[in-house]
């Protein structure tokens, strides 16, 4: 189910929205200006699919190890901040580069990672907020997406001495949604495991996708065999869905009861005989 | 005392009476020259690290062996065209007067006015609206007054507006430049060619400016209202429109004239993590939230959920929202889903909406009860709709009880009718007190 609605009078792509003075700065790449000489595929590559929602589930977070004996005052922990596919697939099909903005006390606090795995490892002593900016390939989206993550070094349980064996892991699950992807983009990623593509509308003719070959370098960008993968958390929507469904049932039951009661209450005053109470 | 400890200073450095006498003479001995005692104390009684500028250095020092006299001498000004000789005081050094031009002559700048020949005029510059004499006169004035068109317009023999004069001057200059240039490419970068004078635009602009100036207060207010209204409409339109690069032109109404010629266009290019109020124009409507989400090229699922939650919360007060969140917690549901997939977010949203419905129903029932009870009792002591008397627990127990008592009393009544003979009085006796209790709950 995509967030599609039948919006009235969808403006045919290619038409300029009403503007004055030619002051509108519409990027030419977004318009479907059909030149007769162009290939029909190319023509359609920029067309936006309104009823298709592309979704890329990601997990981002940090893993921090206490250095134990090797720890110094300024470098007590070794940590890694990363963005990975939720099922450890290769995100580079959609993500062009990731920029991690570290605390200014780090050398070159702006770290740019242009190929998977999208991660930065560092040593330090302090916790701070890391700004993670995702940049996508131009056929996906020209705009960047910002995420924020607080680097946690010290475990919740402050009871015992810190262990070097078990790291402090904080991960967040999220989904990057492309509400109206271009045909070209959909065609390119439709077979890729990192991307969730819904059932395409009937009659939509996309150029055949590049077949996904898990054996070739596409999979190398994934994090299935990542050295830290043993610490990755599991995000299963099943538990949450179950909980939500159960809660909804409960609430719905309450609603039914109250509705019944309301009806009764509304019926009550008429059927009551005041004289029956006034005496005694 | 503690401060001294921190600073590491020796304690008891306070002068005791025994120390007092030797101290003052010691301090006065150290009084420095050049700066006052207090100022020296401010610097911590230390000489400054940098050598400060010696005051005597600031005085201009004239080499003592030079002989300076001042003489009343004549001078000429190269900026003048006549041969005027004036006199002024001149500083003479060792009997040698200063050479060089009058020092202010270099400031005599003027504009280079293009001069055309008669043939050039015949060839390129004839114009039905302008006679040759007028054009000559114009250029002469331009030269004299350095293109100060307001003055030129004033001096111009026939009445021409500033815009007309400017137009004539600039078009003539342009024509001459182009005519004299070897190729059109040479002059293409000349400012006169690159940005030609646009008479109609200028006239319009000035007219608009004068309109703004002469606007009465009332007119100003009306204009503002119209603009606000237009902006609102534009935003509404934006929410429902699905265009590539949403750009809208706000059309001004006929009665209030918009001053600027460039009608304000609005571009919303939302970055994806922004305070919601900036991105979503009218978050009251779920449909409009959805529409505005679709306008983003990319967004996070959590962001979308937040927007939708806000939209559904917008119709409720703060207390209600808090109650919704409390209910979620009681149910054991995360306020923000841990795994925000599409399905989870949809369920979460629906759950929130259902809780809202539930809470609203509770309120309604409360209200109805209060209404009902005041009717039944007929007592003036109890004011209707005072929910404070009722301890409200979102638990079906209380309601179940009421439900039961009401139903049971009705059922009992029916049973009475059926039995006819026995069991009647005791049950009916119970009826009344029970029913009254219902209102006291």
């Amino acid at each position: 189910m995509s967030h599609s609605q039948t919006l009235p009078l969808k403006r045919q792509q290619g038409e300029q929205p009403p503007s004055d003075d030619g002051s509108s700065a519409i990027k030419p790449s977004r318009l479907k200006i059909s030149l007769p000489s162009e290939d029909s595929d190319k023509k359609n590559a920029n067309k936006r699919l309104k009823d298709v929602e592309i979704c890329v589930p990601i997990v981002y977070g940090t893993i921090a190890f206490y250095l134990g004996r090797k720890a110094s005052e300024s470098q007590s922990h070794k940590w890694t901040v990363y963005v990975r596919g939720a099922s450890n697939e290769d995100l580079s099909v959609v993500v062009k580069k990731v920029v991690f903005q570290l605390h200014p006390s780090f050398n070159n606090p702006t770290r740019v990672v242009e190929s998977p795995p999208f991660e930065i490892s560092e040593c330090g002593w302090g916790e701070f907020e890391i700004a993670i900016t995702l940049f996508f390939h131009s056929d996906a989206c020209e705009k960047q997406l910002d995420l924020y993550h607080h680097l946690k070094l010290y475990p919740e349980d402050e009871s015992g001495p810190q262990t070097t064996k078990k790291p402090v892991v904080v991960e967040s699950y999220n989904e990057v949604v492309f509400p109206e992807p271009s045909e070209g983009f959909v065609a390119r990623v439709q077979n890729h495991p990192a991307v969730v593509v819904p059932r395409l509308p009937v009659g939509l003719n996309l150029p055949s996708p590049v077949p996904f070959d898990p054996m070739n370098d596409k999979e190398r960008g994934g994090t299935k065999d990542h050295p830290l993968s043993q610490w990755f958390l599991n995000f299963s929507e099943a538990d949450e869905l179950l909980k939500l469904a159960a809660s909804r049932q409960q609430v719905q039951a309450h609603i039914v009861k109250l509705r019944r009661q309301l009806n009764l209450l509304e019926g009550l005053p008429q059927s009551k005989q005041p004289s029956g109470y006034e005496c005694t | 005392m503690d401060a001294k400890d921190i600073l590491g200073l020796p304690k008891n450095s306070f002068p005791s009476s025994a120390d007092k006498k030797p101290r003052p003479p010691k301090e006065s001995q150290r009084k420095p020259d050049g700066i006052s005692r207090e100022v020296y104390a401010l610097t911590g009684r230390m000489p400054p690290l940098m050598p400060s500028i010696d005051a005597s250095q600031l005085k201009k020092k004239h080499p003592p062996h030079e002989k300076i006299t001042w003489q009343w001498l004549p001078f000429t000004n190269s900026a003048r065209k006549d041969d005027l000789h004036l006199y002024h005081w001149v500083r003479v050094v060792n009997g040698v007067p200063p050479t060089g031009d009058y020092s202010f002559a270099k400031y005599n700048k003027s504009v280079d006015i293009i001069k055309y020949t008669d043939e050039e005029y015949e060839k390129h510059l004839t114009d039905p609206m302008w006679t040759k004499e007028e054009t000559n006169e114009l250029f002469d004035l331009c030269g004299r007054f350095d293109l100060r068109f307001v003055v030129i317009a004033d001096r111009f023999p026939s009445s021409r507006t500033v815009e007309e004069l400017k137009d004539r001057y600039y078009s003539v200059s342009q024509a001459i430049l182009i005519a004299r240039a070897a190729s059109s490419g040479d002059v293409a970068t000349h400012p006169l060619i690159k940005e030609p004078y646009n008479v109609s635009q200028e006239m319009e602009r000035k007219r608009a400016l004068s309109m703004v100036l002469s606007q009465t207060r009332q007119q100003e207010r009306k204009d503002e209202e119209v603009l606000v209204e237009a902006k609102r409409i534009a935003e509404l339109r934006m929410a429902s429109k699905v265009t590539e690069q949403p750009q809208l032109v706000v059309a001004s109404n006929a009665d209030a004239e918009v001053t600027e010629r460039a009608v304000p266009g609005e571009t919303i290019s939302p970055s994806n993590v922004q305070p919601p109020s900036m991105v979503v124009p009218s978050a009251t409507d779920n449909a409009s939230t959805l529409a505005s989400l679709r306008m983003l090229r990319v967004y996070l699922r959590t962001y979308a959920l937040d927007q939708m939650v806000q939209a559904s919360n917008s119709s409720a007060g703060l207390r209600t929202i808090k109650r919704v969140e409390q209910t979620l917690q009681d149910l054991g549901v995360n306020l923000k889903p841990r795994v925000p997939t599409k399905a989870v977010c949809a369920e979460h949203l629906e759950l929130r909406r259902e809780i809202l419905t539930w809470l609203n129903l509770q309120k309604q029932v409360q209200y109805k009860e209060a209404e009902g009870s005041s009717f039944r009792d007929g007592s003036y002591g109890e004011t209707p709709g005072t929910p404070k008397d009722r301890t409200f627990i979102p638990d079906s127990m209380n309601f179940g009880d009421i439900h039961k008592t009401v139903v049971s009393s009705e059922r009992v009544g029916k049973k009475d009718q059926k039995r006819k003979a026995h069991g009647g009085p005791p049950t009916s006796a119970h009826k009344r007190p029970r029913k009254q209790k219902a209102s006291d709950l």
Side-chain angles (χ1 to χ4, degrees):
Chain A
M1 179 196 89
S2 64
H3 289 303
S4 62
Q5 283 185 318
T6 41
L7 291 169
L9 225 209
K10 274 178 251 189
R11 194 170 291 277
Q12 210 27 48
Q13 265 120 24
E15 268 181 60
Q16 291 249 1
S19 61
D20 200 21
D21 302 330
S23 55
S24 46
I26 298 197
K27 292 193 204 156
S29 65
R30 296 244 178 260
L31 289 178
K32 183 187 103 187
I33 302 170
S34 28
L35 302 173
S37 57
E38 272 185 31
D39 201 18
S40 64
D41 268 355
K42 255 200 219 168
K43 231 198 284 179
N44 288 335
N46 286 331
K47 193 168 96 172
R48 301 249 138 206
L49 297 174
K50 288 200 201 297
D51 297 323
V52 177
E53 187 183 273
I54 296 269
C55 157
V56 184
I58 60 168
V59 172
Y60 61 96
T62 52
I63 294 183
F65 285 91
Y66 177 58
L67 289 174
R69 278 184 300 127
K70 298 185 193 155
S72 67
E73 274 241 21
S74 60
Q75 307 210 321
S76 57
H77 289 75
K78 178 168 157 56
W79 50 267
T80 308
V81 60
Y82 56 87
V83 183
R84 63 177 174 91
S87 31
N88 293 314
E89 308 292 351
D90 180 11
L91 285 179
S92 63
V93 63
V94 171
V95 173
K96 183 166 72 175
K97 69 178 181 189
V98 179
V99 176
F100 296 92
Q101 186 69 33
L102 307 180
H103 192 266
S105 58
F106 281 90
N107 241 348
N108 302 326
T110 312
R111 306 283 173 93
V112 182
V113 183
E114 292 180 322
S115 64
F118 298 106
E119 65 183 42
I120 293 289
S121 293
E122 262 293 348
C123 292
W125 56 268
E127 301 183 339
F128 57 91
E129 187 179 75
I130 304 176
I132 305 170
T133 312
L134 304 177
F135 290 86
F136 305 100
H137 292 297
S138 46
D139 66 343
C141 173
E142 300 277 340
K143 296 214 169 68
Q144 64 197 56
L145 199 57
D146 297 312
L147 306 164
Y148 298 92
H149 180 83
H150 181 81
L151 167 66
K152 199 160 183 304
L153 301 176
Y154 303 96
E156 287 289 339
D157 173 25
E158 296 170 31
S159 57
Q162 294 183 74
T163 164
T164 55
K165 300 212 173 58
K166 214 163 163 256
V168 174
V169 182
V170 183
E171 282 190 328
S172 308
Y173 174 96
N174 216 318
E175 298 187 337
V176 179
V177 181
F178 300 92
E180 283 188 349
S182 68
E183 257 194 33
F185 177 49
V186 178
R188 182 167 70 82
V189 301
Q190 57 184 317
N191 260 6
H192 198 282
V195 182
V196 176
V197 181
R199 194 177 300 139
L200 298 173
V202 179
L204 181 66
N205 290 329
L206 288 181
S208 47
V210 179
F212 176 70
D213 178 10
M215 282 315 172
N216 75 1
D217 47 65
K218 278 214 171 121
E219 201 32 52
R220 265 194 254 142
T223 41
K224 288 206 172 78
D225 298 322
H226 196 276
L228 293 172
S229 59
Q230 60 174 305
W231 306 112
F232 290 166
L233 300 176
N234 251 335
F235 290 93
S236 133
E237 63 171 351
D239 295 329
E240 205 136 18
L241 275 177
L242 217 62
K243 186 78 201 166
L244 283 171
S247 308
R248 279 188 70 186
Q249 270 196 344
Q250 264 191 297
V251 175
Q252 280 160 8
H254 286 307
I255 289 176
V256 165
K257 267 198 210 140
L258 283 182
R259 283 222 169 102
R260 233 184 271 154
Q261 194 181 350
L262 205 60
N263 288 336
L264 275 165
L265 279 177
E266 274 165 2
L268 265 181
Q270 288 139 20
S271 58
K272 282 296 153 271
Q273 302 295 327
S275 55
Y277 300 95
E278 256 55 272
C279 51
T280 11
Chain B
M1 277 307 164
D2 296 319
K4 288 210 196 260
D5 216 305
I6 294 166
L7 289 170
L9 290 176
K11 290 189 187 165
N12 292 332
S13 61
F14 244 87
S16 56
S17 51
D19 290 341
K20 246 185 193 158
K21 275 182 192 160
R23 277 215 167 216
K26 189 180 161 202
E27 281 185 7
S28 52
Q29 260 175 19
R30 291 200 289 160
K31 195 179 81 172
D33 303 321
I35 55 175
S36 74
R37 186 168 45 92
E38 283 84 12
V39 176
Y40 194 64
L42 279 176
T43 65
R45 294 187 164 273
M46 291 269 288
L49 295 167
M50 284 274 297
S52 54
I53 300 172
D54 199 7
S56 51
Q57 280 180 10
L58 294 171
K59 275 199 186 148
K60 262 198 230 171
K61 278 208 186 125
H62 299 289
H65 50 272
E66 279 186 357
K67 194 177 100 170
I68 310 290
T69 53
W70 285 86
Q71 295 177 13
W72 182 249
L73 293 175
F75 70 95
T76 54
N77 185 352
S78 62
R80 294 193 68 96
K81 289 185 194 62
D82 53 19
D83 206 17
L84 183 64
H85 291 266
L86 292 174
Y87 289 79
H88 65 188
W89 287 105
V90 176
R91 186 170 176 271
V92 178
V93 183
N94 287 342
V96 179
T99 52
D101 195 9
Y102 182 55
S103 58
F104 296 105
K106 62 183 182 267
Y107 298 116
N108 188 43
K109 301 269 188 219
S110 63
V111 183
D112 294 323
I113 307 288
I114 289 183
K115 296 241 180 316
Y116 50 82
T117 64
D118 284 343
E119 357 170 333
E120 281 179 319
Y121 188 88
E122 303 302 316
K123 252 170 96 175
H124 310 282
L125 307 174
T126 50
D127 187 295
M129 305 276 291
W130 285 81
T131 65
K132 191 168 176 197
E133 290 79 22
E134 278 193 306
T135 314
N136 289 345
E137 181 68 33
L138 169 64
F139 270 74
D140 178 49
L141 286 173
C142 285
R144 273 169 62 194
F145 294 113
D146 294 322
L147 290 188
R148 282 173 289 166
F149 281 100
V150 183
V151 180
I152 295 168
D154 183 58
R155 304 279 165 128
F156 205 71
S158 57
S159 63
R160 293 264 191 180
T161 64
V162 173
E163 288 80 35
E164 284 177 19
L165 297 171
K166 278 192 184 176
D167 187 32
R168 181 64 177 152
Y169 171 76
Y170 288 122
S171 43
V172 164
S173 310
Q174 232 183 6
I176 291 286
L177 273 177
I178 293 173
R180 289 183 189 169
S183 73
S184 61
D186 288 346
V187 278
T189 52
H190 195 284
L192 273 177
I193 313 288
K194 227 171 42 163
E195 283 150 51
Y197 181 69
N198 188 340
V199 194
S200 44
Q201 191 181 34
E202 280 296 296
M203 301 225 299
E204 187 55 38
R205 180 181 68 89
K206 288 190 182 171
R207 188 183 72 86
L209 278 174
S210 68
M211 287 228 52
V212 183
L213 188 61
S214 54
Q215 254 187 1
T216 63
R217 181 125 317 177
Q218 206 184 20
Q219 193 75 352
E220 256 180 56
R221 265 188 269 133
K222 263 190 5 192
D223 276 349
E224 264 194 60
E225 285 173 31
V226 170
L227 281 174
V228 164
E229 184 69 34
K231 195 170 177 202
R232 216 168 41 80
I233 296 174
E235 287 180 347
L236 281 173
R237 250 193 253 156
M238 278 263 302
S240 53
K241 242 193 204 166
V242 185
T243 46
E244 300 270 281
Q245 273 271 39
Q247 268 207 349
L248 268 191
V249 169
V250 176
S252 56
N253 279 343
D255 47 332
E257 288 197 83
V258 180
T259 56
E260 299 311 304
R261 191 164 177 267
V263 182
E266 284 194 87
T267 323
I268 291 192
S269 19
S271 90
N272 289 290
V273 183
Q274 257 192 353
S277 54
M278 282 173 68
V279 178
V280 180
S282 50
T284 51
D285 203 12
N286 281 333
S288 72
T289 317
L290 280 173
S292 61
L293 281 172
R294 289 180 64 185
M295 302 235 283
L296 299 174
R297 285 268 166 263
V298 65
Y299 58 83
L300 282 172
R301 187 73 70 193
T302 48
Y303 172 76
L305 180 62
D306 277 343
Q307 292 295 100
M308 297 298 288
V309 167
Q310 270 209 355
S312 68
N313 277 352
S314 60
S315 56
L318 190 59
R319 253 179 70 195
T320 319
I321 297 171
K322 288 272 180 267
R323 286 174 70 193
V324 170
E325 296 186 346
Q326 183 61 48
T327 314
L328 280 170
Q329 283 186 325
D330 294 338
L331 289 164
V333 171
N334 297 321
L335 283 176
K336 290 193 185 248
R338 184 172 170 261
V339 190
T341 64
K342 189 166 178 161
V344 166
C345 289
E347 284 289 300
H348 186 95
L349 202 59
E350 280 310 308
L351 179 61
R352 276 186 182 252
R353 287 183 186 146
E354 281 164 4
I355 293 176
L356 263 176
T357 311
W358 181 26
L359 292 177
N360 283 335
L361 276 175
Q362 283 178 348
K363 267 192 224 156
Q364 282 184 39
V365 168
Q366 244 184 346
Y367 186 64
K368 276 285 176 225
E369 285 194 307
E371 261 188 8
S373 74
S374 67
F375 179 82
R376 265 182 258 132
D377 291 349
S379 64
Y380 54 83
E382 208 170 73
T383 48
T386 38
K388 293 172 200 150
D389 295 348
R390 306 166 192 284
T391 46
F392 218 89
I393 308 164
D395 179 10
S396 59
M397 283 304 291
N398 288 354
F399 301 107
D401 273 343
I402 298 169
H403 190 89
K404 279 184 215 144
T405 50
V406 168
V407 173
S408 61
S409 48
E410 280 189 318
R411 244 186 259 138
V412 165
K414 282 192 187 143
K415 275 192 199 147
D416 278 347
Q417 287 165 10
K418 278 187 188 163
R419 280 187 219 156
K420 279 185 193 170
H422 49 272
T427 34
S428 54
H430 286 160
K431 243 207 245 178
R432 267 177 257 143
R434 258 180 156 182
K435 272 188 194 145
Q436 282 178 348
K437 284 263 164 41
S439 64
D440 293 341
L441 268 171

